[in-house]
Amino acid sequence: MVDWIEVILRSLFILIGLFIITKLLGKKQLSKLSYFEYIVGIIIGDIAGSLSMDVEVSLLHGVTSILIWTLMSVFLSYISMKNKIVRDFVEGKARVFIKDGKILEENLKKERFTTDELLEMLRKKSVFSASEVEFALLEADGELSILLKRDYRAIKPAELWLNLPRDKEPKTLIMDGEIIKEVLTEEGHNEAWLKKILSDKHVQIDDVFLAQLHSDGKLTLDYYEDGMSEVE
């Protein structure tokens, strides 16, 4: 077969294969990449490029290698969904950059961010002073999430003429059906307190997908069975 015809056929075959693989991996890979997924993407791209251009490379061996890397990514993604420890290791954990208007320099160093880079990210959120920020969090995907102090937020109709307490970021007490004990302790509560609340609602911890305690004292519960409730 003429080399250029084989290159065209290989390229079309690889393009279709990569499209199918992307569909298999799901939309999450389009929105953000974990460390492992980033590495897998580079390797698969490199293999695909070699298969398309180098007619001396075995197509069967290349496709096999791509499938192995893809299955590894799918398997690790599945395990991450089931286990928070694995998820934190593979995808990384969010880190607080600003709290109560104060920049946490040590956390910046741990993530290898400079102050200029932090201020640039704030400006992209239309925030020009760190002192206006109640809470800023660097997410696992590298995005910065911010909660402005109440004085710098747009006023909602429900907040007019009310003397409201200072708002804080919600604290996650239960994730994936497991109690996050360190957060519970930081908030001055214990497992008995949490279990009592759940018991009053006839709910088991295993039934709760996500539980968050808000600054106004309300606890929101998101169940595995589609449904959500708010507890005073």
Side-chain angles (χ1 to χ4, degrees), residues 21 36 40 43-44 47 60-76:
I21 288 173
F36 183 76
V40 169
I43 293 174
I44 289 180
I47 295 172
L60 178 60
H61 291 170
V63 170
T64 302
S65 180
I66 288 177
L67 289 177
I68 290 173
W69 281 101
T70 301
L71 291 175
M72 287 176 60
S73 180
V74 171
F75 174 74
L76 199 56

Side-chain angles (χ1 to χ4, degrees), residues 3 6 24 47 50 68-69 71 78 106 109 125 128 133 135 145 154 158 166 172-177 181-182 195 230:
D3 286 351
E6 185 172 352
L24 177 65
I47 295 172
S50 297
I68 290 173
W69 281 101
L71 291 175
Y78 176 79
E106 287 302 316
K109 292 178 182 178
K125 300 280 187 179
F128 291 84
V133 179
F135 189 77
S145 299
R166 192 171 66 173
T172 300
L173 303 184
I174 299 177
M175 181 182 289
D176 297 338
K181 296 179 182 179
E182 57 270 24
K195 289 178 179 178
E230 189 174 86

Side-chain angles (χ1 to χ4, degrees), residues 78-171:
Y78 176 79
I79 296 298
S80 297
M81 289 176 60
K82 300 294 183 179
N83 190 298
K84 188 177 187 303
I85 296 176
V86 175
R87 183 163 66 245
D88 288 343
F89 177 76
V90 173
E91 300 185 0
K93 298 178 66 174
R95 195 179 297 275
V96 180
F97 273 4
I98 300 176
K99 190 169 185 178
D100 298 332
K102 173 74 171 62
I103 296 176
L104 306 182
E105 294 86 356
E106 287 302 316
N107 287 353
L108 282 180
K109 292 178 182 178
K110 290 177 181 178
E111 294 295 339
R112 298 180 179 85
F113 268 75
T114 66
T115 306
D116 285 335
E117 289 171 333
L118 174 60
L119 294 177
E120 180 183 349
M121 295 176 78
L122 289 175
R123 289 194 295 270
K124 289 180 178 179
K125 300 280 187 179
S126 299
V127 178
F128 291 84
S129 174
S131 62
E132 299 177 3
V133 179
E134 183 71 54
F135 189 77
L137 190 73
L138 182 71
E139 303 291 357
D141 62 353
E143 287 291 322
L144 187 70
S145 299
I146 64 171
L147 174 67
L148 291 174
K149 292 181 178 179
R150 191 178 298 279
D151 290 342
Y152 299 98
R153 276 183 262 165
I155 298 177
K156 300 177 183 178
E159 297 176 340
L160 293 175
W161 305 296
L162 297 178
N163 184 19
L164 298 174
R166 192 171 66 173
D167 206 3
K168 292 286 186 179
E169 78 281 2
K171 300 292 184 179

Side-chain angles (χ1 to χ4, degrees), residues 203-214:
V203 175
Q204 299 294 323
I205 292 175
D206 293 341
D207 299 328
V208 180
F209 177 69
L210 184 70
Q212 290 187 306
L213 181 66
H214 298 264

